[in-house]
Every structure is written in structure tokens, then in C-alpha cells.
Amino acid sequence: MSNIIAGLRELLTQEASLSHWRTMLAFFDELDEGPEKTFALDYARSHLQEWPAELRVLNELDAEHACWTLVGGLRLDCLHSHEAVYLLPEHKHITFLELENLFHPQALNAISKISQLESLILRECEVMQKIEGYGALEHLHRLEFHGGVAQDLSWLGQLKQLKELSLVGEYPEDGYRSYKGPYLKSMKQLLGVRQLRALRLRRCDLLKDFRDLPAFRQLEVLEVSHCAQWRNLSLLARMPQLSEVNFSGCDRLITTQPMKALKQLKKLDLSDCVSLRHLNGLVELPALEWLDLRGCSGLPGELARCYQGEEVKDLQRELG
């Protein structure tokens, strides 16, 4: 018993990661059934509560799995998700769910019964576009859509605990299918979630006008990447708590002058902003620690090469 606990204790002192989780799964797979394994599982369960649920995952719903009581989340593709979504409400310890290519028409009704969900990630799940059901997920604080999303997003206001929202468009690598992305055309649809702490909009090709961007006073993380129309940075004054910003791939962005209002900003990604001509305003950011200028071919001299995802040292001197 002492050798088992010693080996388990060594695993549990490692940094939380998927690789260490897989090592732990293999560790329990090798243990024979019996009192020692039961004790070891109880010991692990009491020490794994601090690990994020998205790291304690299985790729199929298997309540007979040796480590099932340690599992916090599931990543399911179309082969495993259809039956699983109907069984999940019975397993109250599952708080993280990632689904891909789910096409069962009743899937959302089933998922709405998983009231304990805290994080939900949907990848190309076309059937999840209807609004009925999301309001029942009263504990949901993280929601990600990769691929198609319904045009009407007003239902987001039903999610009172939502803190992180990601809307991501995708271009299939095979080249045979068309772009699938959020049908978000107006920022007004996000008025109901002003409590957000993180907002990520990536490749939202249909979004042409940002003037109605809500005043997210509590927002700390903002990503508007690879969005061709994003250029009016004066809107950032509505979000004074921002500490992390990603505008990579926004090829109409010309100046950073309005960013001087972001006194809490620590991390800034401007990579591949090819129209960017100067970095005015950045020297007035006292908290800035990290900067990425890779691919900013419009910047003068060697400036883009100085910061390729690196720690900021003496930006004022380097900007001349």
C-alpha cells in the first residue's frame, strides 16, 4: 500500500496537465481491483479537486472506467456523443463538455438537462443553433462556438453566470467545404452579457460594424483576431480593465494610439497586422509586459523583429 500511495503522491505533486492526467489513468489501469485500489482512488479524488475539469477528461462516456470517479469532463466526437448526451444528466460530477460534429436534433434538449455544466465547447454542431434550452444551464460560465452559430444570439442574456464567450469561424483544411463561422452581424446581440470577463471573436467574417460594441466594464481578455473590419480602437475606452488583448491578423488596423487608455494592459498580440504603421500610445502603458509584432511588415525598421512574443524591456527607447 505504501508504495502505491508514494507513486500516486508523486503524480499528484506534478503540475496539472493532460499528459500527467494520462499518466495517472495508466497508473490506475495497472492496479488490480481491491481495497488498495479503492483507497488510492479516494486519495486521488481528494487531491484532484484543484485540477481544472477540462484536464480530467475522457474521450467517451464510460461509467465503468477505473478512474470514472476522478473524471471532470468529456471530449466527444460524433461517434461517441449521441448516446452520451442523454446519459450525462445522471453524472453530476461532469462539469466540462466538448462536442464535435453533433447532429442529433434533440441534442440541445438533452444537454439542457445537464444543469451542473460550467464549460461547454461546441465544434461544428449545427443542431445547437436553436435558443431553447441554454437558459437552463444556470451554472455555465464558459461557452465556445467553433463553426456555425445562429443569427439570433439574444438568448445569451439568459446565461447570468457566463464569464467567457468565444465565437470562432473556421475554414476547413480540405478546401472542399465553405467557410463555417458565426452569423454575428451586430455587436448589439452581446448587450445581454455585459458581465463577461473574456470575449474572443476569431474569423467572424460577417461582422462588419463594431460601433455597437457593448461597454464591457469587467472585461479582462479581448480577442478580435482575423476580423477584416476591426480598426476603431477608440471603443477600447469602454473596457478599462483589459489586461490581455489579441488583434492578430486584423489587416485594416493602422494605429495603436487609442490603446493608451488601457492602463491595466499586460499582454498584447498584434501579429500579422500588416497595415500597422506605428505604435503610438504603447509607451504610455505602464503595465505592458509582453508584445508580439510578428508579421507586422508595415512597421518601420527592425521593430517587428524586436518583439516576436517576448517580454517588453525598453519600449520607449526602441520606438525612438
Side-chain angles (χ1 to χ4, degrees), residues 183-194:
Y183 297 108
L184 182 65
K185 295 183 178 180
S186 171
M187 298 300 292
K188 288 182 179 180
Q189 297 189 51
L190 302 182
L191 286 172
V193 285
R194 296 184 187 223

Side-chain angles (χ1 to χ4, degrees), residues 1-12 24 27-28 30-44:
M1 174 69 77
S2 59
N3 291 335
I4 293 176
I5 296 301
L8 184 57
R9 184 180 294 113
E10 184 177 352
L11 285 174
L12 291 169
M24 191 171 303
F27 174 86
F28 280 105
E30 295 177 0
L31 290 183
D32 294 329
E33 297 295 334
E36 292 183 346
K37 185 172 186 176
T38 301
F39 181 85
L41 283 168
D42 289 340
Y43 181 86

Side-chain angles (χ1 to χ4, degrees), residues 216-217 219 232-245 247 255-266 268 279-288:
F216 293 114
R217 295 293 180 183
L219 200 69
N232 186 6
L233 299 189
S234 62
L235 299 173
L236 296 177
R238 306 175 184 177
M239 295 165 276
Q241 299 302 316
L242 283 176
S243 62
E244 182 177 332
V245 165
F247 294 153
T255 178
T256 58
Q257 180 68 28
M259 288 188 185
K260 64 182 182 181
L262 304 179
K263 302 305 182 183
Q264 307 299 320
L265 190 64
K266 296 181 179 180
L268 177 60
L279 299 174
N280 294 355
L282 295 194
V283 295
E284 300 180 48
L285 300 178
L288 190 62

Side-chain angles (χ1 to χ4, degrees), residues 41-91:
L41 283 168
D42 289 340
Y43 181 86
R45 190 181 308 110
S46 65
H47 288 76
L48 282 173
Q49 298 304 313
E50 296 181 1
W51 282 38
E54 63 188 275
L55 295 181
R56 298 180 284 117
V57 295
L58 291 180
N59 293 326
E60 59 180 332
L61 193 156
D62 181 7
E64 302 301 321
H65 193 283
C67 294
W68 178 245
T69 57
L70 307 181
V71 172
L74 294 169
R75 286 191 172 92
L76 307 173
D77 57 24
C78 59
L79 296 177
H80 298 102
S81 57
H82 296 291
E83 294 183 3
V85 293
Y86 293 100
L87 298 173
L88 274 172
E90 303 173 11
H91 304 286

Side-chain angles (χ1 to χ4, degrees), residues 156-168:
L156 285 170
Q158 302 175 38
L159 304 176
K160 302 302 183 183
Q161 301 301 316
L162 192 66
K163 295 294 186 290
E164 299 182 40
L165 175 64
S166 298
L167 303 176
V168 182

